[in-house]
Amino acid sequence: MMMMSEDDDNNNNVANNSDSSDESTTTTTNNSINNHKKIDLILKDIHESSFPFRIVVIGNGAILETTSILGPHMATSTSTKTGERLVTLASADKSFEFHVKVDQVSKVTFTEREKPGSSTTNNIMRICRLQSKDEKPICSLILADSSEDAKEWFQGMTLQYGHEVLLMD
């Protein structure tokens, strides 16, 4: 469950005290703020979990797959070229960096499904998918730890955020 900060409460009060012509603009702005906070919070929770993830990124003409803990470094920045917000998750020596253009993420899903062709007791994949506005995949983060702690953490994420988080208005 996402906790609201004092600023969120103040924004809601402004929206509630506005006349009807200003209310929709204020509410849209407030939703946008909450959407930015949601993706930031989701990535922060993934980062702070310290669990390894199988990271799959499909681009134009290439597929990248690697397994890594998304940390211990996490930073937010703004691209000087595009002005887009970035969240960077990096290894201790920064030899591995994963940059997410968070403004392009319109939906996050949390899914559990059977591994194809698996007959082991640990045959469940726990996947966090980031998708763009046109429902194209940005990346998949597959929980690479099958321990009970990892399972409980993932289930906690679905309880906190739901199975599908819409980030764009």
Side-chain angles (χ1 to χ4, degrees):
M1 180 182 304
M2 189 170 83
M3 301 298 287
M4 287 181 36
S5 70
E6 197 172 305
D7 290 336
D8 291 334
D9 198 32
N10 290 338
N11 287 338
N12 286 335
N13 289 337
V14 169
N16 292 334
N17 293 328
S18 302
D19 69 1
S20 62
S21 62
D22 291 339
E23 190 172 272
S24 63
T25 303
T26 306
T27 302
T28 300
T29 302
N30 193 37
N31 285 344
S32 179
I33 291 168
N34 286 336
N35 288 340
H36 283 155
K37 287 183 180 181
K38 283 181 196 173
I39 187 61
D40 291 345
L41 288 172
I42 289 168
L43 291 172
K44 182 177 182 249
D45 286 344
I46 289 170
H47 162 74
E48 289 179 350
S49 75
S50 298
F51 290 118
F53 287 85
R54 183 78 178 157
I55 304 158
V56 182
V57 180
I58 301 173
N60 294 331
I63 300 171
L64 170 67
E65 293 187 38
T66 189
T67 302
S68 181
I69 294 172
L70 295 172
H73 299 289
M74 180 178 183
T76 57
S77 61
T78 302
S79 170
T80 55
K81 290 184 179 181
T82 65
E84 292 178 293
R85 285 186 337 112
L86 299 171
V87 171
T88 300
L89 304 161
S91 62
D93 64 359
K94 296 190 179 176
S95 62
F96 173 78
E97 293 184 347
F98 178 53
H99 307 280
V100 179
K101 295 178 180 180
V102 292
D103 294 335
Q104 292 187 18
V105 180
S106 67
K107 181 164 68 171
V108 178
T109 62
F110 295 95
T111 308
E112 292 184 290
R113 68 172 220 200
E114 278 191 48
K115 292 178 186 176
S118 178
S119 62
T120 65
T121 56
N122 294 326
N123 66 345
I124 301 296
M125 294 191 324
R126 293 175 177 83
I127 308 164
C128 173
R129 285 193 178 91
L130 281 57
Q131 295 178 327
S132 67
K133 181 173 38 175
D134 54 0
E135 301 265 333
K136 290 187 177 174
I138 293 172
C139 67
S140 294
L141 305 173
I142 305 167
L143 188 57
D145 185 328
S146 59
S147 70
E148 194 61 33
D149 285 345
K151 176 183 173 183
E152 288 175 12
W153 173 83
F154 191 86
Q155 289 171 343
M157 292 290 284
T158 61
L159 288 173
Q160 181 171 355
Y161 298 107
H163 289 281
E164 184 174 281
V165 183
L166 299 176
L167 301 171
M168 298 287 183
D169 299 325

